Amino acid sequence: MISASPLFAAAAVDLKWIDYTILIAYTAFVVGIGFALKRYMKTSADFLTSGRSIPAWVTGLAFMSANLGALELVGMAASGAKYGISTAHFYWVGAIPAMIFLAVFMMPFYYGSKARSVPEYLKMRFDERVRALNSLTFAVMTVFASGISMNALAKLLNQLLGWDYHAALWICSGIVLIYVLKGGLTSAIYTEVLQFFMIVLGFAPVVYLGLKDVGGYGALKDTLQKVAVDPMALGLNDKTFQPDAWTSAWTPLLGGPSANPMGVDIFAMVFGLGFVLSFGYWCTNFLVVQRAMAARNMTAARQTPLIAAVPKMLMPVLVILPGMLAIGLATLNKGYELPKVEVTQSDVSAAVKEFQTATAAKLAPEKVASTVAGKLGAFGFKPEFAAVIAQAEAAPMSDAEVTAAIQQNFVPKNDYDGVILSLVQKYCPPGLLGLALTALLASFMSGMAGNVTAFNTVWTYDLYQAYVAKNKSDAHYAWMGRFATIAGILLSIACAYFAKNFNNAMDVVQLVFGFVNAPLFATFLLGMFWVRTTGTGAFLGLLGGTATSAIFHGFSLASGNAVGVKGGYFAQMFHVTPASFPSEMAQNFWLATFAFGVCLILTIVISLATKQNKTVEDLRGLVYSLTPRIQEENVAWYARPGVLGLILLACCIILNIIFW
């Protein structure tokens, strides 16, 4: 039933003193890390790149944790509920192979070139134009990703504790600002390691208790098989699927877009996610690559992604399984309901007014129902609503009667982003609640800190030093790094308000990655492995790929979405029907595929038509065929990146087979 008041007002919890103690202790500790590291921040390199001094196990955990913000805890739990076990493809297809590729093939170029950032590598390989374009798009992406983290955190504090959304957003951003401003990248990296352990400690009990409540994983699979044949009952999907749609990772994909709730086919999954988006993110995103570049030597830098791959492979247990458990619990009547998108009194009043107007005009019943659903932002309506419409057309109904009928017959949308916190509410007693809440707080703030530290480095070195103020003192660039930290925080807050328009954080994250990382990966792939790639080809190819993302997004729309920030705006402008996709995820995968393809083709064609502006000597150490192989005589055979990569790849394949 749709609530006539803010839905989550009743879901707030009352924290006990022990919970507040844990929260305050963690906050004080991370701020203390920043102040403790302040005395080591003497140069711009200390503040922005950590001076390349950190051991591999720290950079490895930070490498994974930099991606373990709102993306994982909120977005993956949301996708686990919305799409089931196929969400694990973001790990076993969409992360591990790319992390291995980065360690074995690409890290030697990044670390060996002595570049301070990914855009600086692009300048060395191509020219200033490519660096500038990548710096600008990356800067936009980082503040968006940071804003998504903070939006999720502010929603969490608002829904769970009843704190004002705006106050929560600004206060938490202020805490991040303090410890990054004091300790720079080093502070962000060490808090990311702390965050990893907090998440394991805080969420393992939630998963254990949830599994115990549903009767184990076997019982959960049985329950989800029943959900798959009638997902409309929980507002999950308006289609029906085979029983294994939520419990099998590959079989529903082989049946095509209509056979799985994610609405994607095997090509979009393997090529769009597994190749373009995955390699584009893990191999070119400076946010994660920066952690490996902060390692103390080349061996540690190459080990960083491989160390990160081990916990990454097992992370679905902590972040996807909770979403699946939420569906199982809601079905089994275990005193749990899926969180719903807020419907306010003004929404209901507007829907009642539309109903009265539409029935007075005797519009078609489906038109009346869809109009009311649009005002409510509802997922759908029950067939019984047709009788209400017929009754209203025969004899006018009062507003109170219409309100009651609406509440009984419309299915509200699920707020998937609220799944993880609703489980925390259900299972965590005082003390454990504080621990779980602190883990969430840590992941969100860390997500913001990671993006802001990447933003301030790219802004200071690749934009400000390169184009605005050359040949200034190191102290001046250190000051600018701190100023960029403040600016990055403020821009992130603005982006947090934009992210409020999406009910699944992963959808908007994949959209942003599709715009930036997908074409960039084509540029890197050609630049690192094809000597003939020219600066002009790379620049125009990257520009064309990014423009393709915007064009594709403007002419496409996922089913059920309104024209606007979720796409279709160009189609509306030119009065054409937008290309329709079953889900936002499918729309994002295909967007990434087109952007990558256009960038790849344009770069090849233009490179062949233009003159190479780099000599062989210029490209030595930057292109695979011109770079001497790294000698590893002093490293045991089982510790070499190639061997470790093969072992990790075999483990990943085994997991795919188990959950086929």
Side-chain angles (χ1 to χ4, degrees):
M1 187 177 78
I2 295 175
S3 170
S5 59
L7 185 67
F8 290 106
V13 297
D14 182 23
L15 290 185
K16 305 301 180 187
W17 66 267
I18 189 172
D19 302 315
Y20 279 113
T21 300
I22 294 171
L23 269 171
I24 293 171
Y26 173 80
T27 303
F29 191 75
V30 295
V31 171
I33 289 175
F35 276 93
L37 292 171
K38 180 185 175 185
R39 58 195 173 108
Y40 299 107
M41 301 297 112
K42 297 176 180 174
T43 67
S44 64
D46 294 334
F47 184 76
L48 296 170
T49 66
S50 288
R52 291 193 166 185
S53 60
I54 301 179
W57 74 270
V58 174
T59 54
L61 289 180
F63 183 93
M64 191 201 68
S65 298
N67 174 253
L68 194 58
L71 312 182
E72 306 282 322
L73 296 182
V74 173
M76 288 299 175
S79 295
K82 194 174 180 180
Y83 306 126
I85 192 65
S86 59
T87 308
H89 289 311
F90 284 97
Y91 295 79
W92 303 333
V93 174
I96 305 302
M99 292 164 76
I100 295 170
F101 186 82
L102 171 65
V104 175
F105 295 104
M106 296 184 72
M107 214 54 234
F109 299 116
Y110 285 133
Y111 201 89
S113 68
K114 306 295 183 185
R116 296 168 297 182
S117 66
V118 167
E120 190 167 70
Y121 170 83
L122 289 171
K123 173 206 167 189
M124 297 164 74
R125 172 60 184 88
F126 300 113
D127 54 36
E128 286 285 2
R129 294 172 299 172
V130 185
R131 176 198 209 181
L133 180 58
N134 176 240
S135 298
L136 289 171
T137 55
F138 178 78
V140 172
M141 186 185 74
T142 51
V143 294
F144 264 101
S146 175
I148 291 165
S149 288
M150 298 315 286
N151 169 59
L153 175 58
K155 282 176 69 176
L156 178 147
L157 295 176
N158 172 257
Q159 296 166 7
L160 198 62
L161 304 180
W163 293 4
D164 179 75
Y165 172 89
H166 308 286
L169 178 62
W170 284 85
I171 290 172
C172 293
S173 299
I175 294 170
V176 173
L177 176 63
I178 291 172
Y179 74 76
V180 173
L181 208 53
K182 295 298 179 184
L185 175 62
T186 310
S187 177
I189 286 178
Y190 278 102
T191 54
E192 284 162 358
V193 174
L194 178 63
Q195 163 215 338
F196 169 76
F197 291 107
M198 291 296 299
I199 287 171
V200 173
L201 287 174
F203 285 90
V206 175
V207 174
Y208 170 76
L209 293 172
L211 270 177
K212 186 179 176 184
D213 218 2
V214 299
Y217 188 71
L220 175 64
K221 283 183 67 177
D222 293 341
T223 303
L224 293 180
Q225 287 179 354
K226 295 172 184 172
V227 170
V229 297
D230 184 21
M232 181 68 180
L234 291 178
L236 296 172
N237 206 300
D238 56 4
K239 300 174 184 174
T240 60
F241 300 97
Q242 293 296 312
D244 60 358
W246 260 261
T247 55
S248 171
W250 286 100
T251 305
L253 278 177
L254 297 174
S258 61
N260 63 82
M262 199 177 281
V264 300
D265 56 29
I266 193 77
F267 178 80
M269 179 61 74
V270 174
F271 189 77
L273 173 65
F275 184 65
V276 178
L277 277 173
S278 168
F279 281 68
Y281 177 81
W282 291 103
C283 298
T284 70
N285 190 331
F286 182 53
L287 167 64
V288 290
V289 174
Q290 186 183 31
R291 273 64 192 155
M293 292 171 74
R296 59 174 46 155
N297 54 42
M298 173 67 84
T299 302
R302 298 184 75 194
Q303 289 173 341
T304 294
L306 300 174
I307 292 171
V310 177
K312 184 74 179 177
M313 202 179 301
L314 304 175
M315 199 49 68
V317 174
L318 285 182
V319 297
I320 295 176
L321 188 55
M324 298 169 65
L325 285 169
I327 301 300
L329 290 167
T331 306
L332 293 171
N333 295 319
K334 292 284 185 178
Y336 174 85
E337 291 184 359
L338 289 172
K340 304 297 182 184
V341 172
E342 179 182 315
V343 179
T344 65
Q345 183 61 53
S346 62
D347 296 328
V348 176
S349 298
V352 170
K353 185 178 179 182
E354 286 292 331
F355 177 89
Q356 299 287 30
T357 303
T359 51
K362 298 190 182 302
L363 298 181
E366 287 189 358
K367 178 68 176 176
V368 176
S370 62
T371 302
V372 174
K375 288 294 178 184
L376 293 170
F379 175 77
F381 52 89
K382 299 176 182 176
E384 291 82 356
F385 195 61
V388 178
I389 296 171
Q391 179 186 342
E393 289 181 347
M397 297 170 62
S398 68
D399 287 353
E401 291 173 325
V402 175
T403 300
I406 285 175
Q407 290 178 328
Q408 291 170 2
N409 290 289
F410 278 81
V411 181
K413 282 184 179 177
N414 294 317
D415 183 2
Y416 295 103
D417 284 351
V419 163
I420 189 67
L421 65 92
S422 67
L423 292 175
V424 168
Q425 282 181 291
K426 177 175 175 59
Y427 287 116
C428 293
L432 194 56
L433 178 62
L435 192 62
L437 192 57
T438 303
L440 282 168
L441 188 74
S443 69
F444 298 140
M445 293 201 305
S446 180
M448 183 180 215
N451 281 288
V452 168
T453 52
F455 172 84
N456 62 17
T457 304
V458 168
W459 166 261
T460 303
Y461 286 146
D462 297 299
L463 292 171
Y464 183 75
Q465 185 181 29
Y467 305 108
V468 180
K470 297 180 180 178
N471 304 318
K472 297 288 184 180
S473 68
D474 185 73
H476 178 83
Y477 294 123
W479 172 85
M480 175 49 65
R482 290 182 170 85
F483 176 81
T485 303
I486 298 171
I489 294 279
L490 293 175
L491 289 170
S492 300
I493 291 172
C495 291
Y497 287 107
F498 169 81
K500 286 182 70 179
N501 291 297
F502 293 78
N503 71 345
N504 183 339
M506 278 306 296
D507 290 338
V508 66
V509 166
Q510 295 302 325
L511 173 62
V512 174
F513 291 165
F515 265 77
V516 178
N517 292 110
L520 183 61
F521 178 56
T523 305
F524 267 93
L525 199 62
L526 291 171
M528 284 187 170
F529 296 99
W530 190 37
V531 178
R532 186 66 183 81
T533 312
T534 66
T536 301
F539 174 72
L540 294 178
L542 190 57
L543 198 63
T546 306
T548 299
S549 296
I551 293 169
F552 187 96
H553 193 243
F555 282 103
S556 64
L557 198 62
S559 177
N561 282 345
V563 172
V565 295
K566 297 186 177 183
Y569 37 86
F570 286 148
Q572 186 179 60
M573 187 184 303
F574 292 102
H575 305 291
V576 298
T577 304
S580 180
F581 290 89
S583 67
E584 290 171 32
M585 201 65 79
Q587 181 188 16
N588 295 337
F589 287 175
W590 280 105
L591 179 149
T593 300
F594 271 84
F596 172 85
V598 169
C599 181
L600 188 79
I601 293 169
L602 278 180
T603 305
I604 291 173
V605 171
I606 297 171
S607 291
L608 291 173
T610 53
K611 184 180 178 181
Q612 175 61 274
N613 57 354
K614 297 277 186 179
T615 66
V616 170
E617 201 55 38
D618 290 337
L619 298 177
R620 203 173 298 283
L622 301 173
V623 178
Y624 187 78
S625 60
L626 300 178
T627 303
R629 302 285 85 80
I630 295 176
Q631 303 302 313
E632 298 175 318
E633 285 82 3
N634 296 327
V635 181
W637 67 269
Y638 53 81
R640 294 175 182 172
V643 176
L644 289 174
L646 286 175
I647 294 171
L648 288 168
L649 199 58
C651 294
C652 193
I653 291 171
I654 291 171
L655 282 172
N656 275 284
I657 294 172
I658 291 173
F659 291 93
W660 188 270

